[in-house]
Amino acid sequence: MAGKDSGLVSQAVRLAFDVANGRSTLSKLVPPCLFLLDAVLCALVIWKIPYTEIDWKAYMEQVSQFVSGEHDYTAIKGGTGPLVYPAAHVYTYTALYYLTDEGKNIFLAQQIFAVLYMATLALVMTCYWRAKVPPYVFPLLILSKRLHSVFILRCFNDCFATFFLWLAIFLFQRRDWTAASIAYSWGLGIKMSLLLVLPAVGIILLLGRGFSDGLKCAMIMLNIQIAIASPFLQENASGYASKAFEFTRQFYFKWTVNWRFVGEEIFLSRPFSLILLTMHALVLTGFIVNKWLKPAGKPLSAILMPILQFSSPFSPREEPIIASRVTPEYVMTTILSANVIGLLFARTLHYQFYSYLAWSTPYLLWRSGAHPIIQYGLWALQEWAWNVFPSTPISSCVVVGVLATTVALIAMHEDESTAPPPTSASGRKND
């Protein structure tokens, strides 16, 4: 009897491992079950935890001025200061303004953001599944206290930007280049934080769509930005540019989540800002040269020189071969690594920025080849640090440490899935 019980236990353990690692037919049930569980959790959050006012009222005050006819960005202000987000933010919150009785129906707003959260989670889970991520990683997608807070209890515009970022990733994975470009551009039009992944988007379009068609997608993105901004550009073009994409903004030390440990004097200094900018550029260049351009099978100079002359660096025969290497895994790894690199060297991070990070870290830690215990451990450290309020030197050190570790692990991982095959072999295969 004891031997029989032992055999049943071992079979159960084996089944659990097979399900967790995607080797069982039951594995496909893990994402929908977790999704339904999170839907219940969202309902409980709205029911049990009080809403916290931070930016919603200011958003509504700014929108009320817009709907009243004010199109000068420098004149639109709210309780937390001037309007500093691009035009798609204004249009998005104008819709919410009307749906929620001019922003007064907070309960309805929370329900809308809960639906937005669930829609984003559905996209994230779909992207993970297409990238062949095993089910044991999926629980990390629903366990974040801070992420639920950002979406459902704060109603930040970062939530919409995050949704369109993941919609773009999903569409890029499906090779729907035009729709992905539109989704990305609209997200960028909500908040310029999505500029962090622009280099990755550009490389994906170059390799996946080719030079001329990739350039067309870039023009679509640019034209969308011009079109949505046109009412404001006609009123005060320089005012819109300076506010919607304000690169010279002075950040407050009291709100920083990531650089508390360096002290206020260093945080506010120009040398510190320049060091971060330089490090960002160096690490980004390293990833571009050593990882993201690997499917092209060419050195950077052989790609860059033709582009500077407005010609394709790839022959008509090379383009479909290279495009075939832009896999769902490649799309996810490239965009999410660009995102995390940008967050690592960001001048400052506020709590709402966790919406960009929370669903990036589990994938990158898995993709790096780290042991599951390390994946869960680093995720737990990150979640703890982002839930410390206000941030402390220790919590901010952990925030930066986990970001740096994630970037280092993905940098050291040798990804062979997008490496070009030997030239002779590829030539014979595609003759």
Side-chain angles (χ1 to χ4, degrees):
M1 180 65 69
K4 186 176 181 180
D5 290 342
S6 176
L8 288 174
V9 170
S10 63
Q11 288 179 25
V13 171
R14 191 180 308 114
L15 176 62
F17 271 90
D18 287 343
V19 171
N21 287 281
R23 295 191 295 262
S24 168
T25 55
L26 296 176
S27 298
K28 62 184 179 183
L29 298 177
V30 172
C33 288
L34 291 173
F35 184 84
L36 292 174
L37 180 63
D38 206 0
V40 174
L41 181 58
C42 288
L44 289 173
V45 169
I46 295 175
W47 181 32
K48 291 290 188 180
I49 303 177
Y51 163 80
T52 304
E53 171 56 42
I54 297 180
D55 282 340
W56 174 263
K57 185 177 179 181
Y59 294 161
M60 294 298 108
E61 290 170 346
Q62 292 163 354
V63 165
S64 68
Q65 295 167 51
F66 167 68
V67 299
S68 297
E70 181 60 75
H71 290 168
D72 185 347
Y73 246 60
T74 61
I76 301 177
K77 294 178 173 61
T80 58
L83 176 58
V84 291
Y85 307 115
H89 158 84
V90 177
Y91 302 138
T92 301
Y93 277 83
T94 297
L96 293 171
Y97 177 83
Y98 288 115
L99 286 171
T100 61
D101 188 21
E102 300 180 357
K104 298 169 189 170
N105 193 338
I106 299 296
F107 180 62
L108 177 57
Q110 287 186 274
Q111 293 177 70
I112 292 171
F113 272 83
V115 172
L116 176 66
Y117 171 88
M118 294 306 300
T120 310
L121 178 62
L123 282 171
V124 171
M125 285 185 166
T126 303
C127 291
Y128 269 60
W129 197 258
R130 290 179 66 86
K132 301 181 177 63
V133 180
Y136 77 79
V137 178
F138 280 70
L140 299 180
L141 305 181
I142 71 165
L143 292 176
S144 173
K145 175 184 175 183
R146 175 58 67 187
L147 190 61
H148 286 88
S149 173
V150 168
F151 271 82
I152 303 171
L153 300 178
R154 306 294 191 270
C155 303
F156 285 119
N157 62 352
D158 303 82
C159 304
F160 281 97
T162 299
F163 169 81
F164 284 102
L165 172 63
W166 281 99
L167 179 59
I169 292 172
F170 169 72
L171 292 169
F172 276 131
Q173 286 185 327
R174 290 174 54 87
R175 310 180 76 80
D176 196 340
W177 312 109
T178 301
S181 300
I182 293 171
Y184 170 73
S185 189
W186 186 264
L188 179 60
I190 292 173
K191 195 161 186 180
M192 71 172 189
S193 305
L194 265 59
L195 280 173
L196 295 178
V197 304
L198 182 58
V201 169
I203 290 173
I204 287 170
L205 286 172
L206 173 65
L207 302 185
R209 191 62 174 145
F211 177 75
S212 59
D213 289 334
L215 196 58
K216 290 176 184 176
C217 290
M219 291 306 299
I220 289 172
M221 292 189 284
L222 177 60
N223 287 331
I224 288 173
Q225 294 303 314
I226 295 172
I228 64 176
S230 59
F232 308 105
L233 294 174
Q234 292 173 26
E235 186 72 24
N236 184 349
S238 61
Y240 176 81
S242 65
K243 291 298 182 183
F245 297 94
E246 187 178 6
F247 295 101
T248 58
R249 189 183 310 169
Q250 180 63 53
F251 297 103
Y252 295 104
F253 181 69
K254 66 179 180 179
W255 298 122
T256 187
V257 177
N258 55 333
W259 297 119
R260 179 80 61 185
F261 67 93
V262 303
E264 186 169 8
E265 184 178 351
I266 293 176
F267 176 82
L268 296 174
S269 68
R270 182 165 176 76
F272 181 63
S273 177
L274 293 174
I275 289 172
L276 291 176
L277 184 62
T278 302
M279 290 298 296
H280 187 188
L282 289 174
V283 174
L284 201 61
T285 301
F287 269 75
I288 290 171
V289 173
N290 298 311
K291 288 189 169 293
W292 301 346
L293 288 177
K294 187 178 287 187
K298 292 186 175 186
L300 179 63
S301 58
I303 297 173
L304 196 56
M305 292 307 294
I307 290 177
L308 293 176
Q309 298 170 9
F310 288 94
S311 63
S312 176
F314 314 122
S315 69
R317 196 182 74 164
E318 288 175 326
E319 282 193 355
I321 299 173
I322 294 170
S324 68
R325 300 170 191 151
V326 181
T327 61
E329 298 95 318
Y330 173 84
V331 168
M332 283 270 283
T333 305
T334 305
I335 291 180
L336 296 186
S337 58
N339 180 46
V340 171
I341 291 168
L343 294 174
L344 172 60
F345 297 109
R347 185 69 179 77
T348 190
L349 295 177
H350 296 164
Y351 286 99
Q352 58 266 38
F353 280 68
Y354 199 52
S355 60
Y356 308 108
L357 178 62
W359 285 318
S360 298
T361 304
Y363 174 81
L364 292 176
L365 290 177
W366 167 77
R367 192 68 181 166
S368 73
H371 191 278
I373 293 177
I374 295 175
Q375 295 175 40
Y376 270 75
L378 287 172
W379 177 89
L381 280 173
Q382 174 179 274
E383 179 68 15
W384 169 80
W386 281 86
N387 278 286
V388 175
F389 179 81
S391 65
T392 65
I394 293 176
S395 70
S396 67
C397 191
V398 171
V399 166
V400 174
V402 174
L403 281 168
T405 302
T406 304
V407 171
L409 286 172
I410 203 70
M412 292 186 294
H413 179 65
E414 188 63 34
D415 190 353
E416 298 179 358
S417 63
T418 57
T423 304
S424 58
S426 65
R428 290 193 302 269
K429 186 176 180 179
N430 293 279
D431 278 341

